[in-house]
Amino acid sequence: MPVINHARLQSCPEYRPAVDEACAARPRSSHLAATINGHRSCTEPANTPCNGEIQRDHEANGVAKGLAADLKASVDRITHRGPDDSGIWISANEQVGLAHCRLSINDLSSAGRQPLHSSDNQIHAVVNGEIYDYDRLRHECETVHNYHFQSDSDSELVLALYEIFGAPDFLTRLRGEFAFVLYDNREGAQRVIAIRDRYGIKPLVYTRVGSKLLVASEAKAFLPLGWKPRWDVRAIADAGWMFDDRTLFRGVRKVLPGHYLDITEQGGVRQVKYWDAEYEDKVGPLIYKSAPRLIAFPQSKPETRTIDEMVSGVRERLVESVRLRLRADVPVGIYLSGGIDSSAIAGIVTELARKEKVKIGNEEATRVTCFSVAFPETSGFDESRIAERTAAWLGVKTIKKTITEDTLAEDFAAAVFHCEHHHFDLNFVAKFALSTLPREHGVKVVLTGEGADEHFAGYPYFPAEFLREADEALPDSPLSQKDDLRSEMFQAVEREMRDIWRRGGATACEDKPASASIAGVGATAMSNHLLAWHPMPTLFAPWLQTQQGDYDCRRTVLGSHASDVQARMRSRWHPLHTAMYMWNKNPLANVLLSCLGDRTEMAHSVEARTPFLDHHLTEYVNRLPPSVKLRYAAESENGELGPTWTGSSMALQSLNEKWILRQAVRPYITDELYKRKKHPFLAPTRWAKDGPLHRMFKTLLTQRAVEHLGFVNYATIQEAMDIAWGEKADAKAFRLLVYCGAWVTLSQRLCVAKADVSDWEVLV
């Protein structure tokens, strides 16, 4: 464990409202390193370097120069996250070093550079991301606490709030998406803290190299600091990389969403939770009856708010969340799809600009610029026409990126390299390609719709858990009154979901025995859905299959949640809320906000802001009854069904997902979108034999390259290559090629060592 006051901390940040970090610590002769991208500001002339210069409190000796060179090399690995400027700071005792590369968003002057330093030069930080509600918080710090700011950067709030309130109390006042490393060198308070936002919108990983502790936004930043990548084959085989703090790489861990690393001499390195999602209890206090003996009965807990009050509550909080995210000193755009989420954001922005004269970033404009993806029309996955109709209705400008098979083949390797993990679909490559558009048109910041499906029950695997129990909060709703109808629909929805999984090439959740779980049967069932895109064991090499044996990966899913959380899942939360919690803590943070979020956006130096993940909004929505998120309608008007739904999915179609969101954003969207069923953002899986993708995968997945991984069965890849193409393409086989293609790409680009049985062993 590192002893922080005897450790050298290296930290490489990039500048933009975002954070990339790497930290390393060891006793006395050790050091801690951190790389971060985010804002950068300098507080004293002696500590005000620019253009990559070194901030020092004394003359640099050979050791310090070596450390500075390592930090500079580390930042250079992730300069895509902050190409505008960079800076390095090393403490006088050479125990701490911070480095940062800047993407200038707020306060474009030199005062906004990082690393940041307190006025007494005792607290230092590198910050990645955005802190919202900046004006109010800054005013409070200045007028109530007499804090003197040295810049107009929102990142400086981290220093101010920490100095005023201390840790962890200052974290409750931070609103936004962020990851940062802060070093406190005050007498008696020495510590390093590495913090990640509540939902994991911004990445933060750490590892040990010898006696050093390294922290960074991306693992590739560790390479100049001595990291030698190896596969974590256990995390790959048991799905741990997607459900807990492990990654694809052995010994590289994630700082979990809503957590921070607390590094002190007394406590070593601890990961501490500072925030978690909570849901309304499904039952009220117990009622006790004494005859003929004392028995406790749970009583129902009906909702007391009216529907109109709840709709207004959602609308007010969403509009405020969007308003706060328009604050920037650069232009702001929107990623616009054919769905209700991004369209609602575009509608709200348009109304704020036109009716309230709210600036869109640094522009006093009434037309926001939107960016959209277009797939080939014949694929069935193209939503660009709907996005164009929405843009025309709003009177906004839209710029379209057409994603062809050539695009997917050409960008696959680069997208994987930036994401640092595999994915089941090529939608992440499309998102990577889309993210080239904003910078080409002078836009550094975009608003996106991520987080709406997670909090308003938009995904098709939520309905079964909604139907598992009656919603006693709204006892007059049809499904709460008619248990027979709810039970019949529950069984029908489960059948329909298995069919959707099979057609999409996923692993359909079959009936199979599961070990008893304190989380309850609903959590176990949801685990099946969450594992639908996990590779089958036959993809793995025989030695790995032997090591894994008959391990049930649902244990990984459930084991990622603390026992007290599992107890709430079983007894306090409605099953729908249990399912939503599990999704938000696992695939949302570890997959969607990574390869469909920060990693593919920041690859092109674009900052994405997510209004639906504002915790003031989500904490309100989490407390709403299940029956306002999913609404039963015997006859529903869903419009065009798209590739996910079929005419036989009648039970699923009779449930109106995101119902209360639809009501809340009704003034901002078209009738078409209001009635339209959820269409997941997916890429086509059927491509011609001998086409660009087929040729790319054949070139990439050679026997030598696959066998060099050490953990994949090449015979399975050969078989998949034969059946994954053409009109009768096997979607599951295609997805196996996508998985393995990502692993081979990472192996080659990061020089990952060939896996063997020693990589199965658990690191202590």
Side-chain angles (χ1 to χ4, degrees):
M1 305 293 281
V3 181
I4 205 60
N5 64 335
H6 292 302
R8 179 184 309 136
L9 172 66
Q10 312 170 357
S11 164
C12 317
E14 312 174 45
Y15 175 77
R16 63 166 270 142
V19 177
D20 271 295
E21 311 178 277
C23 306
R26 70 182 179 186
R28 295 198 178 273
S29 61
S30 66
H31 60 270
L32 178 120
T35 56
I36 301 187
N37 82 284
H39 299 281
R40 157 180 157 65
S41 73
C42 310
T43 60
E44 296 182 355
N47 287 317
T48 313
C50 56
N51 300 320
E53 295 179 4
I54 305 172
Q55 307 173 32
R56 295 272 304 159
D57 291 331
H58 55 65
E59 291 299 317
N61 59 25
V63 174
K65 289 179 179 177
L67 175 56
D70 289 345
L71 289 172
K72 177 64 166 60
S74 179
V75 157
D76 287 346
R77 293 278 182 159
I78 52 175
T79 191
H80 51 274
R81 300 186 66 92
D84 297 336
D85 198 357
S86 64
I88 297 170
W89 174 85
I90 299 173
S91 65
N93 61 5
E94 294 156 12
Q95 297 299 298
V96 175
L98 301 173
H100 185 264
C101 48
R102 180 183 189 185
L103 181 64
S104 307
I105 301 295
N106 287 327
D107 189 353
L108 309 185
S109 73
S110 60
R113 291 176 179 145
Q114 294 192 38
L116 302 163
H117 312 279
S118 62
S119 58
D120 62 2
N121 207 35
Q122 293 299 302
I123 305 172
H124 315 272
V126 280
V127 182
N128 169 29
E130 289 293 339
I131 310 299
Y132 302 116
D133 205 9
Y134 167 76
D135 293 326
R136 183 188 65 81
L137 288 170
R138 180 184 176 114
H139 180 73
E140 178 185 333
C141 291
E142 289 176 326
T143 59
V144 178
H145 303 285
N146 297 315
Y147 188 89
H148 176 66
F149 284 87
Q150 303 170 70
S151 75
D152 291 323
S153 167
D154 59 286
S155 292
E156 195 178 349
L157 278 171
V158 169
L159 282 181
L161 293 172
Y162 175 80
E163 193 167 332
I164 293 167
F165 299 104
D169 291 350
F170 84 115
L171 296 172
T172 64
R173 293 164 170 83
L174 296 180
R175 182 177 187 176
E177 57 267 358
F178 48 80
F180 58 87
V181 169
L182 184 149
Y183 171 53
D184 187 344
N185 193 40
R186 293 176 297 180
E187 186 67 29
Q190 289 95 340
R191 71 193 309 186
V192 171
I193 51 177
I195 301 168
R196 195 175 180 197
D197 65 66
R198 293 168 179 85
Y199 283 103
I201 302 166
K202 290 299 175 184
L204 198 60
V205 293
Y206 65 100
T207 193
R208 287 182 179 275
V209 173
S211 56
K212 299 178 292 187
L213 176 67
L214 310 175
V215 181
S217 292
E218 300 180 16
K220 59 181 67 70
F222 298 149
L223 290 167
L225 299 164
W227 177 55
K228 306 296 182 185
R230 296 194 65 88
W231 296 111
D232 189 335
V233 293
R234 185 186 291 266
I236 294 171
D238 72 10
W241 75 274
M242 189 165 60
F243 294 104
D244 53 42
D245 67 342
R246 289 174 288 170
T247 68
L248 265 59
F249 306 112
R250 186 167 171 80
V252 177
R253 300 275 174 159
K254 299 182 287 271
V255 177
L256 294 170
H259 285 66
Y260 64 92
L261 293 185
D262 191 16
I263 308 166
T264 64
E265 180 179 8
Q266 297 78 20
V269 181
R270 299 183 302 129
Q271 185 153 189
V272 182
K273 180 166 65 176
Y274 70 87
W275 182 88
D276 202 358
E278 185 55 273
Y279 299 87
E280 197 67 31
D281 287 358
K282 61 185 178 182
V283 295
L286 296 176
I287 297 177
Y288 293 92
K289 297 184 179 180
S290 58
R293 63 182 184 276
L294 186 65
I295 301 176
F297 294 91
Q299 61 176 323
S300 61
K301 190 178 181 182
E303 176 60 59
T304 58
R305 293 167 292 186
T306 67
I307 294 295
D308 287 345
E309 287 172 340
M310 290 186 279
V311 169
S312 295
V314 172
R315 182 183 297 133
E316 291 167 4
R317 287 165 176 79
L318 178 57
V319 170
E320 179 66 10
S321 176
V322 172
R323 184 197 308 272
L324 290 173
R325 283 160 178 78
L326 291 175
R327 168 74 184 272
D329 293 335
V330 296
V332 175
I334 296 174
Y335 279 162
L336 181 65
S337 71
I340 188 175
D341 311 330
S342 60
S343 300
I345 292 172
I348 293 170
V349 170
T350 299
E351 179 151 310
L352 287 173
R354 290 176 182 169
K355 293 186 177 181
E356 300 185 27
K357 308 303 180 185
V358 174
K359 292 176 66 176
I360 304 174
N362 66 341
E363 299 176 315
E364 293 182 358
T366 58
R367 298 179 71 222
V368 65
T369 300
C370 299
F371 304 94
S372 300
V373 161
F375 287 114
E377 285 189 49
T378 56
S379 69
F381 290 81
D382 183 42
E383 294 185 301
S384 63
R385 294 292 182 90
I386 299 175
E388 288 171 353
R389 290 194 290 272
T390 298
W393 184 78
L394 291 172
V396 301
K397 180 182 179 181
T398 183
I399 301 171
K400 183 168 63 176
K401 179 75 173 183
T402 300
I403 306 297
T404 65
E405 185 179 1
D406 283 313
T407 307
L408 296 174
E410 292 168 4
D411 287 348
F412 177 81
V416 168
F417 173 70
H418 283 283
C419 295
E420 299 184 337
H421 64 77
H422 59 278
H423 188 48
F424 70 89
D425 194 78
L426 292 181
N427 54 1
F428 78 101
V429 186
K431 183 66 177 287
F432 177 87
L434 171 66
S435 295
T436 63
L437 282 184
R439 289 305 292 259
E440 290 174 3
H441 292 83
V443 174
K444 281 186 175 181
V445 175
V446 293
L447 305 190
T448 77
E450 275 79 19
D453 291 313
E454 287 75 11
H455 289 88
F456 293 95
Y459 293 121
Y461 37 75
F462 287 145
E465 297 312 306
F466 169 66
L467 295 164
R468 187 177 293 278
E469 289 182 11
D471 179 11
E472 298 295 345
L474 293 178
D476 294 332
S477 61
L479 295 176
S480 295
Q481 291 187 328
K482 301 176 181 179
D483 283 344
D484 290 346
L485 172 62
R486 181 174 52 79
S487 179
E488 291 171 6
M489 288 187 62
F490 172 73
Q491 295 176 41
V493 163
E494 286 204 312
R495 289 193 301 269
E496 292 171 9
M497 270 309 304
R498 282 195 289 268
D499 181 57
I500 288 174
W501 286 137
R502 289 192 185 96
R503 285 188 287 106
T507 303
C509 45
E510 305 290 353
D511 293 331
K512 55 184 178 181
S515 56
S517 166
I518 63 172
V521 63
T524 301
M526 185 61 187
S527 299
N528 283 323
H529 292 301
L530 296 179
L531 289 163
W533 299 115
H534 182 57
M536 293 292 289
T538 52
L539 177 59
F540 300 124
W543 72 265
L544 183 50
Q545 293 185 46
T546 299
Q547 291 293 327
Q548 192 171 23
D550 59 356
Y551 179 79
D552 188 342
C553 290
R554 290 176 294 188
R555 291 172 54 190
T556 302
V557 180
L558 296 172
S560 68
H561 305 294
S563 58
D564 63 320
V565 172
Q566 294 192 47
R568 293 200 293 274
M569 291 177 178
R570 182 188 68 250
S571 59
R572 285 182 46 198
W573 297 342
H574 188 280
L576 173 64
H577 289 155
T578 290
M580 295 168 75
Y581 180 92
M582 293 174 69
W583 174 267
N584 292 347
K585 287 296 180 179
N586 300 138
L588 172 65
N590 296 328
V591 182
L592 269 72
L593 293 176
S594 175
C595 68
L596 292 172
D598 175 271
R599 295 302 190 96
T600 46
E601 295 148 354
M602 289 291 279
H604 303 287
S605 310
V606 172
E607 175 178 275
R609 299 177 176 181
T610 52
F612 285 107
L613 291 177
D614 184 287
H615 75 282
H616 290 247
L617 170 64
T618 62
E619 289 176 348
Y620 179 81
V621 173
N622 287 349
R623 297 286 188 174
L624 297 177
S627 293
V628 302
K629 298 166 187 174
L630 280 162
R631 187 86 158 184
Y632 171 69
E635 296 182 3
S636 55
E637 195 176 348
N638 293 314
E640 181 263 325
L641 293 178
T644 300
W645 311 100
T646 68
S648 61
S649 304
M650 299 307 297
L652 283 167
Q653 290 184 52
S654 67
L655 291 170
N656 194 346
E657 81 280 353
K658 298 190 285 193
W659 182 83
I660 195 167
L661 177 62
R662 292 174 190 273
Q663 314 316 308
V665 302
R666 186 70 185 87
Y668 312 110
I669 60 174
T670 64
D671 288 341
E672 177 183 26
L673 286 170
Y674 177 75
K675 297 173 182 177
R676 190 172 187 248
K677 198 75 174 165
K678 161 72 181 177
H679 289 229
F681 173 54
L682 297 171
T685 57
R686 184 174 296 142
W687 301 98
K689 190 173 184 179
D690 296 323
L693 279 170
H694 187 204
R695 294 195 300 270
M696 183 272 288
F697 278 115
K698 284 182 67 176
T699 301
L700 182 65
L701 299 176
T702 64
Q703 181 172 357
R704 179 178 180 181
V706 173
E707 290 183 347
H708 181 72
L709 295 174
F711 62 89
V712 172
N713 187 341
Y714 180 65
T716 301
I717 297 301
Q718 280 184 303
E719 180 182 349
M721 191 70 75
D722 291 338
I723 62 176
W725 311 97
E727 285 300 315
K728 297 182 179 180
D730 185 306
K732 182 177 291 187
F734 180 78
R735 298 196 191 284
L736 292 180
L737 301 181
V738 175
Y739 295 143
C740 193
W743 296 331
V744 168
T745 298
L746 292 173
S747 171
Q748 294 173 348
R749 294 214 170 185
L750 297 179
C751 298
V752 186
K754 182 177 181 179
D756 57 39
V757 70
S758 67
D759 293 308
W760 176 262
E761 302 303 320
V762 177
L763 288 174
V764 179

